Amino acid sequence: MDQRDLRVLGCLESSLRVSWDARGDDVVVRVAGEIDLSTAGVLDSALRRAMTAAVPGTRLIVDLNEVEFLGVTGLRKLRTACEECRRCEVVLMVVAANEEVTHPVHALGMETVLELRAQLPESRA
């Protein structure tokens, strides 16, 4: 998949924008806006679609650096996606250096479940 195949899954009336594409062997999901009860379904849908492009042994990287709010419902969606990825032998990695994401992850002890990184890892060819 190349840049022309970028999938935009957010909608105009939503405060959440989600897209995904391939970067080497990785599938990268980019999320911007607020992840709360009203937008968590958009995130869930995007993660499920992206998981269909990931194959065993690859990584699904969720870039949350442009997320302005991450609520408990969003964290639950990420945890569920992580569990599903493990069953499919795909590594789910969350990238975020912003306090809006790192604070709730640490406050709820989710760093033991989610592989949290401060920056995007190098792509694997």
Side-chain angles (χ1 to χ4, degrees), residues 26 31 36 42 67 72 78 81 88 93-95 97 108 120 123 125:
D26 301 327
V31 184
D36 58 19
V42 174
V67 168
V72 173
L78 288 168
C88 298
M93 184 179 299
V94 175
V95 177
L108 294 174
L120 283 171
S123 75

Side-chain angles (χ1 to χ4, degrees), residues 64 70 74-83 86 92-94 101 105 109-117:
L64 301 180
L70 176 60
L75 281 167
R76 286 186 187 133
K77 298 296 184 185
L78 288 168
R79 182 185 64 209
T80 299
C82 186
E83 292 166 355
R86 278 194 196 116
L92 186 135
M93 184 179 299
V94 175
V101 174
V105 167
M110 294 293 289
E111 70 276 6
T112 62
V113 176
L114 302 173
E115 185 174 337
L116 185 62
R117 302 269 178 110

Side-chain angles (χ1 to χ4, degrees), residues 3-124:
Q3 191 63 24
R4 292 185 314 254
D5 293 325
L6 182 69
R7 311 295 201 256
V8 178
L9 301 170
C11 54
L12 291 176
E13 57 275 355
S14 175
S15 60
L16 187 68
R17 296 168 309 286
V18 182
S19 63
W20 64 272
D21 63 349
R23 203 177 119 227
D25 287 341
D26 301 327
V27 176
V28 180
V29 177
R30 290 179 178 80
V31 184
E34 299 179 359
I35 304 172
D36 58 19
L37 184 60
S38 67
T39 61
V42 174
L43 175 65
D44 185 55
S45 177
L47 293 173
R48 289 182 184 283
R49 285 183 173 195
M51 279 189 261
T52 64
V55 296
T58 62
R59 299 181 295 191
L60 175 59
I61 301 169
V62 184
D63 183 353
L64 301 180
N65 277 312
E66 293 187 34
V67 168
E68 300 161 0
F69 175 81
L70 176 60
V72 173
T73 305
L75 281 167
R76 286 186 187 133
K77 298 296 184 185
L78 288 168
R79 182 185 64 209
T80 299
C82 186
E83 292 166 355
E84 290 178 19
C85 281
R86 278 194 196 116
R87 284 192 288 275
C88 298
E89 298 177 15
V90 171
V91 174
L92 186 135
M93 184 179 299
V94 175
V95 177
N98 53 336
E99 180 79 10
E100 294 83 2
V101 174
T102 60
H103 179 73
V105 167
H106 292 297
L108 294 174
M110 294 293 289
E111 70 276 6
T112 62
V113 176
L114 302 173
E115 185 174 337
L116 185 62
R117 302 269 178 110
Q119 60 187 18
L120 283 171
E122 296 291 320
S123 75
R124 300 182 303 184

